[in-house]
C-alpha cells in the first residue's frame, strides 16, 4: 500500500511540473499568446534649458509638446542676463541654453576658459538703434549720448552698424569685435554709454538713442522693423557669426535628448511659428 501511495505522489508531482512548464510565458507574451506591455517602459528624460524670455523661451515652448511625445520633458528656465545661462550649463545646473549667437559664445569661452559648444543654429535677431528724442540719425546733435551693449560682440555690432550709416568710422579690418577704442572718426563727437543689454530699453528716456537687441526690444513692445531708426541687414557679411544657437557641453551635445531638441528647433513647424509671430524681427536660418 505504501508503494502505491508513493507512486501516486510521484505522478502528481510530475503532472504539476509538466503543467508549470506549459504555463511559462516568453518575454512580452501573456498567457493565451496575447502580447503584453514591455517589462521596462522607456524612461522620460528631463532636459533643463536656459533661455531669455523673448523670443527664445517662446520658441522652446512651441516645441514642448512635440518633444514630450518623444520622451523628452522640456524644462525651460528664463534668464534676463547673458552670463548665467552659460555659467549654469558649464556647471551642469542646466543641460543646454538658447539665448546667444555664435560670436558671443566664442568670446565668452575665450574670456572664461570655457568649452561650451554650438549644437545647432536657429535664427538671427537684427540689432536696431531706437530713440524717443529723434526720428532720424541726421537729427542727432553734436555730443549726443548713444547707449550700446557692453557685452562681447553686441557692442561691436552696434558700432559696425553706426559706421555703415556714416556716423562714425572704425579702424580697418574690425567688425563685430569692434570696441569704442576702434573708432577713428567721430565727427559729431557722439558719447557712447556702455550698459548691460537688458537695461537698454529702460535707458531710452535718458539717452538720445540706444542700440537694443531684438529679444529685449520685443519684450518692451518695440517693433524692430517699424520702430528702429536703423537696423542690421540680415544678409551682412558676418551674419553666420550672429546666428542664435542652441548651446551645450562637449559631454552632452550628442545625447539623444539634446539632438531631439535640435531637430525640433530646426523643424518646419518652428520656421512657420517664427515667421508668423515675429514678422521679420526674428529670421529663421534653416
Amino acid at each position: 500500500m505504501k508503494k502505491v501511495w508513493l507512486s501516486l505522489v510521484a505522478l502528481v508531482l510530475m503532472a504539476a511540473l509538466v503543467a508549470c512548464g506549459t504555463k511559462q510565458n516568453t518575454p512580452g507574451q501573456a498567457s493565451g499568446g496575447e502580447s503584453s506591455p514591455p517589462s521596462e517602459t522607456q524612461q522620460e528624460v528631463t532636459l533643463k534649458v536656459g533661455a531669455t524670455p523673448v523670443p527664445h523661451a517662446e520658441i522652446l515652448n512651441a516645441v514642448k509638446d512635440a518633444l514630450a511625445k518623444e520622451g523628452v520633458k522640456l524644462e525651460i528656465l528664463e534668464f534676463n542676463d547673458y552670463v548665467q545661462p552659460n555659467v549654469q550649463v558649464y556647471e551642469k545646473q542646466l543641460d543646454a541654453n538658447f539665448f546667444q549667437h555664435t560670436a558671443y559664445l566664442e568670446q565668452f569661452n575665450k574670456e572664461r576658459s570655457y568649452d561650451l559648444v554650438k549644437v545647432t543654429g536657429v535664427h538671427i535677431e537684427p540689432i536696431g538703434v531706437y530713440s524717443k528724442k529723434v526720428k532720424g540719425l541726421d537729427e542727432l546733435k553734436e555730443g549726443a549720448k548713444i547707449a550700446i551693449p557692453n557685452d562681447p560682440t553686441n557692442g561691436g555690432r552696434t558700432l559696425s552698424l553706426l559706421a555703415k550709416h556714416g556716423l562714425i568710422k572704425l579702424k580697418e579690418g574690425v567688425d563685430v569685435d569692434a570696441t569704442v577704442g576702434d573708432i577713428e572718426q567721430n565727427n559729431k563727437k557722439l558719447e557712447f554709454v556702455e550698459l548691460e543689454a537688458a537695461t537698454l530699453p529702460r535707458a531710452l528716456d535718458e539717452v538720445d538713442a540706444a542700440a537694443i537687441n531684438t529679444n529685449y526690444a520685443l519684450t518692451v513692445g518695440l517693433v524692430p522693423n517699424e520702430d528702429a531708426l536703423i537696423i542690421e541687414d540680415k544678409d551682412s557679411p558676418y551674419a553666420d557669426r550672429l546666428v542664435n544657437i542652441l548651446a551645450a557641453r562637449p559631454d552632452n551635445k550628442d545625447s539623444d535628448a539634446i539632438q531631439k531638441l535640435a531637430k525640433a528647433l530646426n523643424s518646419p513647424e518652428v520656421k512657420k511659428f517664427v515667421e508668423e509671430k515675429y514678422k521679420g524681427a526674428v529670421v529663421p536660418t534653416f
Side-chain angles (χ1 to χ4, degrees), residues 126-140:
I127 200 167
V129 176
Y130 302 82
S131 176
K132 290 185 177 181
K133 298 182 179 179
V134 299
K135 294 183 179 180
L137 295 179
D138 57 335
E139 296 179 20
L140 289 172

Side-chain angles (χ1 to χ4, degrees), residues 123-127 130 214 218 223-226 231-234 271-284:
H123 68 266
I124 286 180
E125 299 174 17
I127 200 167
Y130 302 82
T214 289
L218 292 171
V223 181
N225 290 334
E226 297 176 9
I231 194 165
E232 272 180 323
D233 184 349
K234 66 177 184 289
K271 184 174 184 179
K272 182 180 179 181
F273 173 82
V274 169
E275 289 175 341
E276 291 182 352
K277 185 171 181 63
Y278 304 111
K279 303 185 186 305
V282 178
V283 183

Side-chain angles (χ1 to χ4, degrees), residues 45-47 67 71-72 246 252 254-262:
V45 176
T46 297
L47 205 58
L67 284 173
V72 179
L246 174 68
N252 73 345
D254 295 319
S255 70
D256 187 54
I258 293 285
Q259 288 302 312
K260 284 179 178 178
L261 173 57

Side-chain angles (χ1 to χ4, degrees), residues 20 90 93-94 120 161 224 233 251 273 285:
C20 286
Y90 184 77
Q93 297 174 53
L94 295 173
T120 190
L161 179 61
D233 184 349
D251 69 344
F273 173 82
T285 58

